[in-house]
Amino acid sequence: MRATPSMTTAERRTFVEDGVVILPDFVPLDLCRAAVETVEDAATENAGVSESVLALYHRSPLSGLFRELLGGEPQPVTGAQVAFRRPTPPEQLDMYMGEPTPSPADWNGHVDGIAIHAGPHKDDPDREAPIISFTCLVGVALNDQTKPDCGNFGALPGSHASNAAFFAQQAAAGGPLGPGGPGWPVEPWRRAEGSNAS
């Protein structure tokens, strides 16, 4: 684990400018190993709400860092997504990691916090807005990545600024924000049987 459980001035600058920062050795290795054991245990259901997975945040310097960055107590962290996905084949990377950073309307990827369809959410019919706001998304790698673009989590540096500009344009045009709003046409939503895709 790093000597000081906080971000350096350079890391803070990167976080503000890029919207993403990598903090090597920030979560203690013993917490990572305990989470891996839980995730790999075939008898464990709902690993994302297990004590060992939640400890990656609650028992590491992450919780203190967020209180410091936000200037107060964040909403309770009560669950985590444990994602298993095969790496994207190199020939498909450009569809997700375009340069320069594409706007949400032009990017063929998955953006956390933006629903993939307009209208009522399948799990909450009262929630119409396709934008689900959150302050920060944290990823803790539980295995080694030996080269870039080989994991199951990606971030587009600068996308926080391009997204904000795009949503501001949608708001100025009368909204709504996100898919189905100005500048972001969508096809009618048709959920494929047994799938989360249209």
Side-chain angles (χ1 to χ4, degrees):
M1 192 168 105
R2 59 170 55 198
T4 305
S6 188
M7 286 175 21
T8 66
T9 302
E11 288 168 336
R12 287 174 184 268
R13 185 176 299 113
T14 298
F15 186 55
V16 170
E17 292 174 359
D18 291 349
V20 61
V21 66
I22 298 171
L23 303 173
D25 303 319
F26 204 77
V27 176
L29 191 55
D30 63 318
L31 294 179
C32 293
R33 286 180 177 146
V36 167
E37 286 180 19
T38 297
V39 170
E40 289 180 344
D41 182 359
T44 301
E45 294 183 16
N46 302 318
V49 295
S50 67
E51 182 179 335
S52 59
V53 170
L54 290 174
L56 296 169
Y57 176 83
H58 292 292
R59 291 184 43 218
S60 79
L62 285 172
S63 59
L65 175 63
F66 278 94
R67 283 193 300 276
E68 178 187 332
L69 291 174
L70 297 174
E73 194 66 35
Q75 292 292 317
V77 175
T78 59
Q81 177 186 17
V82 179
F84 296 96
R85 292 191 182 92
R86 297 188 188 281
T88 300
E91 64 274 10
Q92 294 180 10
L93 282 174
D94 61 341
M95 78 169 61
Y96 299 104
M97 308 298 278
E99 290 290 336
T101 302
S103 75
D106 297 327
W107 185 49
N108 186 26
H110 166 93
V111 180
D112 283 315
I114 301 174
I116 56 177
H117 62 90
H121 189 276
K122 72 177 186 73
D123 298 325
D124 185 355
D126 294 328
R127 190 174 73 218
E128 292 277 346
I131 303 298
I132 304 167
S133 182
F134 55 87
T135 303
C136 192
L137 180 65
V138 178
V140 179
L142 297 178
N143 64 322
D144 292 332
Q145 290 182 238
T146 57
K147 57 185 180 179
D149 298 326
C150 69
N152 68 8
F153 178 82
L156 292 171
S159 62
H160 66 308
S162 59
N163 289 354
F166 180 78
F167 295 142
Q169 290 174 354
Q170 286 191 311
L177 303 185
W184 195 340
V186 294
E187 294 293 322
W189 175 252
R190 291 180 291 277
R191 185 178 301 279
E193 189 65 33
S195 169
N196 191 35
S198 63

